[in-house]
Amino acid sequence: MFSLYLECRQQEKYLLIAELWDRGSSGITETDLPGGGCGLRAFFDRDNQAQGLAGEFSGWSARCQYEEPRDWVAVARSRLDPQCVGDRFFLVPEWRDDPTPPGRLRIEVNPGMAFGTGAHESTQLCLEALERELQPGMTVLDVGTGSGILSRAAELLGVKRVIACDIDPVAVELARQPLSFVGTADAVCSESIDLVVANISPEAVIALAPELMRTLRAGGIAIVSGFEQPEVGSVAAALSASGATLRESHAKNGWSVVVVDKL
């Protein structure tokens, strides 16, 4: 067994993680680096892959080292602890039986290989925004649902219907069971949604801004995150060009959420 260590920008890490899984990784850990970067360590069982992978990912300061065999699923699970988010949510790994604190809504998390454990600041910012913005009876669209945390949060807050979408087949398998599911936002009827939430990359938000606004009814709300504070301006500009008005933005440890209203 060996590990491959890469250093990348935060906005690159999800694509790299997907590529590492495709190459047969048996587990991946990540750490934040000074200056906003990210360190990824991917573990592989076949030692004869080391030289080839080091060359393939050389653009990310790739380094290989040999490791003692370990149960990486158990290691990953040991690093996920229950946590309270916002005023109302309690996120807990599905293999834990910790009691739900009084007054909290329980969301059981099984991220598998999809984004969304609740530990990331962008997910927490979205959950906090949902607490503020959701009203009972709303129809919600969750774009890039990942493990389905935001969709389940919306259901617990009493919305009429949640439609989740994601193009990642792993996310589809994890999230689809309790949800209405479509592949992409362009399959959603125009002006049929009261609130859109999208916790994805800034590039994806900018590209999808016209679609997000198309699905919203007049007066509808969009909550978008997955980007850092310096990228708020470009995200807000793309949403504004598609018919939105910026209402507020919030930040946590360098990550941001933007809330806009459709004109």
Side-chain angles (χ1 to χ4, degrees):
M1 172 177 279
F2 72 95
S3 67
L4 175 69
Y5 178 77
L6 311 175
E7 293 183 354
C8 65
R9 297 177 298 167
Q10 290 287 346
Q11 56 265 42
E12 295 177 304
K13 71 178 181 181
Y14 300 119
L15 178 59
L16 282 174
I17 287 171
E19 291 181 353
L20 291 165
W21 284 122
D22 285 344
R23 303 305 190 278
S25 175
S26 57
I28 301 171
T29 63
E30 63 178 87
T31 55
D32 291 332
L33 300 177
C38 179
L40 299 176
R41 188 173 295 280
F43 298 86
F44 295 86
D45 296 323
R46 297 193 301 274
D47 290 348
N48 60 4
Q49 292 180 278
Q51 185 174 355
L53 287 172
E56 184 177 353
F57 292 94
S58 60
W60 290 273
S61 304
R63 301 194 298 272
C64 287
Q65 68 181 41
Y66 291 96
E67 307 278 356
E68 292 294 325
R70 298 175 67 183
D71 184 347
W72 293 109
V73 172
V75 170
R77 286 188 169 192
S78 71
R79 295 180 179 178
L80 285 177
D81 294 320
Q83 60 182 322
C84 293
V85 177
D87 295 327
R88 302 190 61 186
F89 294 113
F90 179 64
L91 275 57
V92 58
E94 67 171 14
W95 53 86
R96 299 278 296 256
D97 58 1
D98 305 65
T100 304
R104 292 273 172 175
L105 300 172
R106 185 185 188 92
I107 301 178
E108 293 190 349
V109 180
N110 179 13
M113 291 185 288
F115 178 62
T117 66
H120 197 276
E121 288 85 351
S122 65
T123 307
Q124 295 175 17
L125 287 164
C126 286
L127 288 169
E128 292 164 1
L130 287 174
E131 287 184 345
R132 296 190 299 269
E133 303 296 338
L134 275 184
Q135 300 295 326
M138 279 185 167
T139 297
V140 173
L141 174 63
D142 178 11
V143 178
T145 191
S147 61
I149 285 178
L150 300 180
S151 291
R152 292 186 176 89
E155 288 185 321
L156 289 170
L157 290 171
V159 299
K160 179 181 178 181
R161 185 186 182 193
V162 179
I163 301 170
C165 66
D166 206 303
I167 59 173
D168 179 357
V170 175
V172 172
E173 183 62 28
L174 285 168
R176 71 184 306 167
Q177 293 299 325
L179 305 172
S180 299
F181 212 96
V182 296
T184 57
D186 60 9
V188 178
C189 293
S190 297
E191 300 184 353
S192 63
I193 302 297
D194 298 302
L195 185 146
V196 170
V197 59
N199 185 19
I200 48 182
S201 69
E203 295 84 3
V205 173
I206 291 169
L208 288 172
E211 281 297 303
L212 302 183
M213 292 301 107
R214 178 191 63 80
T215 66
L216 279 176
R217 297 186 175 102
I221 301 165
I223 298 168
V224 296
S225 189
F227 43 86
E228 297 175 275
Q229 286 178 276
E231 296 158 322
V232 168
S234 57
V235 169
L239 293 167
S240 177
S242 299
T245 299
L246 176 65
R247 174 140 54 88
E248 60 186 39
S249 65
H250 299 272
K252 182 177 291 188
N253 295 330
W255 293 87
S256 293
V257 65
V258 167
V259 180
V260 300
D261 297 312
K262 182 176 179 179
L263 297 175

